[in-house]
Amino acid sequence: MTTPWRLLLVDDEDMILELLSLRFKAQGYEIQTAMDGELAYAAAQAFNPHAIICDVVMPKVDGPTFCRRMRAEGNNVPFLFLTAKGQPRDKVEVLSAGGDDYLVKPFDPNELNARILAIIRRRYPPAS
Amino acid sequence: MTLTQAEFHPIVELAADKTADGFLCLDVAGQILYANDAAARALSETTTTLSDKTIFQIAPEMNPSLWRELWKEIRGRSVFAFEFAFASGPDHPIQVDLSVHYLKPATRELACVFFRDIEERKRLQNLQQEFVSTASHELRTPMTVIREGVSQVLEGLRGDINDSQRRALSIALNGIDRLGRIIDELLDISKIESGRLTLKRDRIDLTAVTREIAATFQSLATDRRLELRVTTPAGPVLVYGDRDRLIQVMTNLVGNSFKFTEKGHIQIGLERRGADAQCSISDTGIGFEPKEAEKIFNKFEQLGQTTVTGEKGTGLGLSISRAIVELHKGRIWARSEGPGKGATFTFALPMQAGRDVFRDHLAPMLREVSRRGGSLSTVVFRLKQGELSPLAGHEGPGLLDILDQIVRKRSGRLTDLIVKDQDTMYLALQSMAAREALRIAEHAANEFKDLLKSENRSDQWRLAFDVSGFPEESDNEDVYLEKLFRREAA
């Protein structure tokens, strides 16, 4: 891989965006951020990310709606949701909206790393 | 010190007038003799207008024959409680929890009625539930920020730190994680206390679950130089339960043993005992005073013991475990010979047969159909072992899982009731006539047989099924159930 993985981070909390940006930049990812589902949709068009980490509850357009819109357009970019709820119903909601995986806040950073790598690897298998 | 008779009477009067519950006193004819403030408020009356009325004017559901029945009940049992409806003004019924007490202070018989608006109670419960759920949701975002910030400094992502700083941040991180667990457990407790913890029950093999739990804890045992022993029966031990919740119970109990055991061993044992599956977790840890055995299941009870690892618990785990086990109609208890002598925690779950579980679920569905109209069909699939396969017996549950998937695909619905046993699968199809159910069952059975044939196993297993429809077959729920299970026994 000569170009780094492009990762889109979507959360309405700027503190979370700042912290996650630093974490993933330190690991060589190229990062863009968006603070709601509408901005995220625009960013996804321009940035064409390899994966998206997305909050569930956001103003204007929420995470599942953003994901459904991408899926409806045939975009299969891997989606990992960060949910603050963690109730079984919420997990079902994000997965049925087209999400590939989810983590409950507060998450363990090592687990987030591992899961993001896993969904990227599944979507873009290394050429053999 | 006691109150004098002269003091007591006005106090009782005050209590009756001002208590938050509605309170009515009636005679045998149904005439209201006394009503307190809360009763008047709930029924949109005043205490004076109420005492001119009879029970029949304030309770649309009450009639003279029901009233006579009620008197018979309370004379016999002295107290009687049920849900009831009162009229609060015209066309405004209110649902109440009500208890009637029988009193005969002098010559006259009295019915003393206490009641409480159910909707009010439900509203308060909702409010409490919502509060806990919102609070825990709102707490998670700032916790995420704190956790991630601390982690990044700790990992060196923000530059070098020294050992003392690293130590402080590790402690902070542990505290944050503990806070997260407390929030999860408070949510569980809140659900349990409001009766909203519902189980997603299915057939589970406790042998497999026990081994899984042991495997999860193995590396911790190695790190801590503790011996982890596991004993289970060779074959599956099937119970109807919520897999995730039972794993939560076992993880909690085994986790506790690790917290309180410094050296020696931790043993996880599973056995069949009578009609129960019994799981025990024993250790050679710090134990407790035998008289504390009940107390440790109380909320926030920690007996003031410090853990071996310095790790702090929330004091909620055992009370959640007890609630989960009791929701499964099981029991949980703790034993210790004394401090320093280890502890054993045991829970027992009934190994309910699939047909009993099916019956429990089906009965209310049938009642609903008789009340609302419509139809319901049941299918009982039975796997029979062929004579050529003496060794294939343990495959039954796995094959039924495949059949389950085929049926769900065929019916195209996920909401049907499916209960599986060792070799029998019960299926209830709502809003479906027997003819349609028969078609689905036939197709599913054929697909299943084709599958066996493609694996050259047609000789090993035979599949039979039986379809019946409600209300075509019998429009009485009890008769229908009787017939269904008698046919099965035959």
Side-chain angles (χ1 to χ4, degrees):
Chain A
M1 195 74 200
T2 49
T3 54
W5 298 118
R6 290 184 301 276
L7 193 56
L8 175 61
L9 307 175
V10 191
D11 201 306
D12 58 336
E13 292 281 341
D14 52 356
M15 293 178 291
I16 295 205
L17 289 180
E18 186 195 327
L19 288 165
L20 287 184
S21 297
L22 182 114
R23 165 170 299 283
F24 284 104
K25 275 180 189 161
Q27 291 172 56
Y29 286 83
E30 198 181 315
I31 299 297
Q32 281 217 0
T33 61
M35 294 192 65
D36 65 51
E38 204 172 294
L39 296 168
Y41 179 78
Q45 306 306 313
F47 183 51
N48 193 21
H50 291 100
I52 297 175
I53 296 179
C54 189
D55 189 17
V56 176
V57 183
M58 288 183 295
K60 289 191 222 167
V61 176
D62 70 8
T65 309
F66 164 47
C67 184
R68 268 192 295 271
R69 182 168 178 194
M70 299 283 282
R71 297 299 187 238
E73 292 175 4
N75 191 325
N76 279 326
V77 57
F79 253 87
L80 183 145
F81 278 99
L82 292 179
T83 146
K85 297 180 185 167
Q87 301 299 308
R89 205 184 36 237
D90 306 312
K91 298 174 185 171
V92 171
E93 189 199 343
V94 299
L95 293 179
S96 57
D100 297 276
D101 203 354
Y102 62 84
L103 263 185
V104 179
K105 292 178 183 175
F107 47 84
D108 175 353
N110 293 319
E111 189 175 355
L112 179 61
N113 278 341
R115 284 184 186 269
I116 270 295
L117 273 178
I119 62 174
I120 288 179
R121 204 166 49 225
R122 241 178 283 151
R123 179 73 178 75
Y124 316 97
S128 49
Chain B
M1 270 203 285
T2 50
L3 292 167
T4 64
Q5 198 65 32
E7 287 167 325
F8 194 63
H9 183 255
I11 289 175
V12 172
E13 200 173 79
L14 181 73
D17 281 346
K18 301 302 174 196
T19 185
D21 284 350
F23 178 41
L24 299 170
C25 205
L26 303 114
D27 67 10
V28 180
Q31 177 63 49
I32 297 173
L33 304 172
Y34 169 83
N36 74 350
D37 294 350
R41 251 195 326 274
L43 301 174
S44 310
E45 301 260 0
T46 67
T47 50
T48 339
T49 54
L50 254 188
S51 53
D52 284 337
K53 297 203 164 170
T54 66
I55 182 78
F56 309 106
Q57 288 166 288
I58 59 164
E61 291 178 10
M62 186 54 77
N63 57 47
S65 80
L66 197 60
W67 183 245
R68 274 194 302 276
E69 284 300 310
L70 183 70
W71 271 96
K72 236 187 267 169
E73 278 297 329
I74 60 169
R75 281 192 190 107
R77 313 200 226 166
S78 80
V79 57
F80 190 42
F82 51 100
E83 275 193 21
F84 195 62
F86 280 132
S88 177
D91 302 323
H92 185 240
I94 54 164
Q95 292 293 319
V96 296
D97 269 338
L98 168 154
S99 64
V100 191
H101 299 252
Y102 176 82
L103 266 189
K104 195 176 171 189
T107 48
R108 196 154 52 148
E109 291 181 303
L110 299 175
C112 297
V113 177
F114 295 90
F115 67 91
R116 187 175 288 186
D117 192 335
I118 296 178
E119 260 129 57
E120 181 62 10
R121 188 191 71 200
K122 284 186 180 154
R123 202 180 59 83
L124 288 176
Q125 257 177 15
N126 283 346
L127 215 62
Q128 184 213 358
Q129 172 76 15
E130 209 173 294
F131 172 76
V132 175
S133 152
T134 312
S136 77
H137 178 249
E138 290 301 321
L139 285 170
R140 277 176 206 274
T141 299
M143 272 176 62
T144 307
V145 173
I146 299 168
R147 198 191 190 290
E148 180 62 12
V150 172
S151 296
Q152 291 189 359
V153 181
L154 194 57
E155 286 171 42
L157 281 176
R158 302 265 173 177
D160 291 339
I161 54 169
N162 65 34
D163 283 348
S164 162
Q165 290 163 339
R166 186 169 295 113
R167 167 99 186 110
L169 292 176
S170 305
I171 294 171
L173 208 54
N174 274 331
I176 296 164
D177 287 342
R178 183 168 161 227
L179 188 57
R181 286 196 301 275
I182 294 177
I183 290 174
D184 288 342
E185 293 186 348
L186 280 176
L187 252 184
D188 277 349
I189 285 281
S190 140
K191 273 198 247 166
I192 287 164
E193 289 184 346
S194 61
R196 292 199 193 193
L197 185 80
T198 47
L199 299 176
K200 288 192 299 287
R201 301 230 270 178
D202 201 352
R203 181 197 58 196
I204 2 176
D205 174 9
L206 278 185
T207 306
V209 171
T210 305
R211 289 181 185 154
E212 243 171 72
I213 296 280
T216 327
F217 278 98
Q218 188 52 58
S219 66
L220 181 61
T222 314
D223 287 352
R224 298 268 313 278
R225 294 169 198 281
L226 291 167
E227 188 194 342
L228 184 60
R229 301 178 186 162
V230 191
T231 54
T232 66
V237 174
L238 300 180
V239 295
Y240 270 86
D242 185 319
R243 190 186 153 81
D244 289 346
R245 289 295 180 184
L246 289 178
I247 287 179
Q248 184 181 354
V249 171
M250 288 176 79
T251 306
N252 174 248
L253 296 180
V254 179
N256 278 349
S257 281
F258 274 96
K259 273 187 221 158
F260 293 107
T261 306
E262 181 152 30
K263 56 180 193 287
H265 68 262
I266 290 164
Q267 171 148 0
I268 313 176
L270 175 71
E271 59 178 337
R272 298 191 190 89
R273 186 164 274 208
D276 286 344
Q278 194 166 303
C279 182
S280 294
I281 289 99
S282 32
D283 59 51
T284 51
I286 62 171
F288 51 84
E289 289 288 350
K291 64 175 195 299
E292 313 271 28
E294 245 324 291
K295 227 167 102 184
I296 49 182
F297 290 100
N298 293 345
K299 251 192 294 185
F300 296 112
E301 193 71 61
Q302 299 193 291
L303 304 183
Q305 288 169 320
T306 42
T307 59
V308 172
T309 51
E311 200 181 332
K312 295 238 170 41
T314 60
L316 291 171
L318 282 176
S319 84
I320 292 171
S321 292
R322 178 168 66 182
I324 292 172
V325 168
E326 286 175 354
L327 273 175
H328 282 87
K329 298 193 167 65
R331 291 166 300 126
I332 185 168
W333 64 94
R335 289 231 168 88
S336 174
E337 300 282 308
K341 292 180 177 159
T344 300
F345 284 79
T346 309
F347 65 92
L349 302 175
M351 290 189 291
Q352 231 178 341
R355 56 174 287 174
D356 297 332
V357 176
F358 187 64
R359 197 187 179 113
D360 288 351
H361 283 85
L362 186 60
M365 288 165 76
L366 290 174
R367 273 199 297 280
E368 187 70 14
V369 173
S370 349
R371 207 159 57 85
R372 295 231 167 129
S375 58
L376 183 153
S377 296
T378 52
V379 186
V380 181
F381 289 98
R382 259 182 306 274
L383 262 184
K384 287 196 185 108
Q385 226 172 304
E387 281 156 18
L388 291 170
S389 59
L391 291 174
H394 63 279
E395 288 181 340
L399 286 172
L400 285 181
D401 287 340
I402 294 171
L403 181 63
D404 179 349
Q405 283 166 22
I406 293 176
V407 167
R408 283 182 203 271
K409 200 178 68 195
R410 283 280 166 197
S411 73
R413 324 193 296 187
L414 294 169
T415 50
D416 299 317
L417 169 66
I418 296 185
V419 175
K420 287 165 289 185
D421 239 338
Q422 185 84 21
D423 48 14
T424 312
M425 183 168 114
Y426 303 87
L427 167 67
L429 297 149
Q430 264 172 311
S431 321
M432 193 181 281
R435 199 160 12 95
E436 175 72 356
L438 179 65
R439 209 177 51 81
I440 289 175
E442 272 172 355
H443 278 112
N446 286 337
E447 189 172 335
F448 182 75
K449 285 175 190 160
D450 287 347
L451 189 88
L452 283 182
K453 204 182 287 171
S454 74
E455 293 175 1
N456 277 328
R457 290 163 57 181
S458 300
D459 293 340
Q460 292 177 6
W461 292 98
R462 252 177 268 288
L463 181 69
F465 64 87
D466 219 340
V467 179
S468 51
F470 182 84
E472 299 119 277
E473 207 120 325
S474 160
D475 61 358
N476 176 299
E477 305 114 62
D478 296 327
V479 175
Y480 183 83
L481 282 170
E482 270 319 304
K483 263 170 111 176
L484 185 70
F485 291 112
R486 200 168 47 223
R487 189 147 55 178
E488 198 210 352

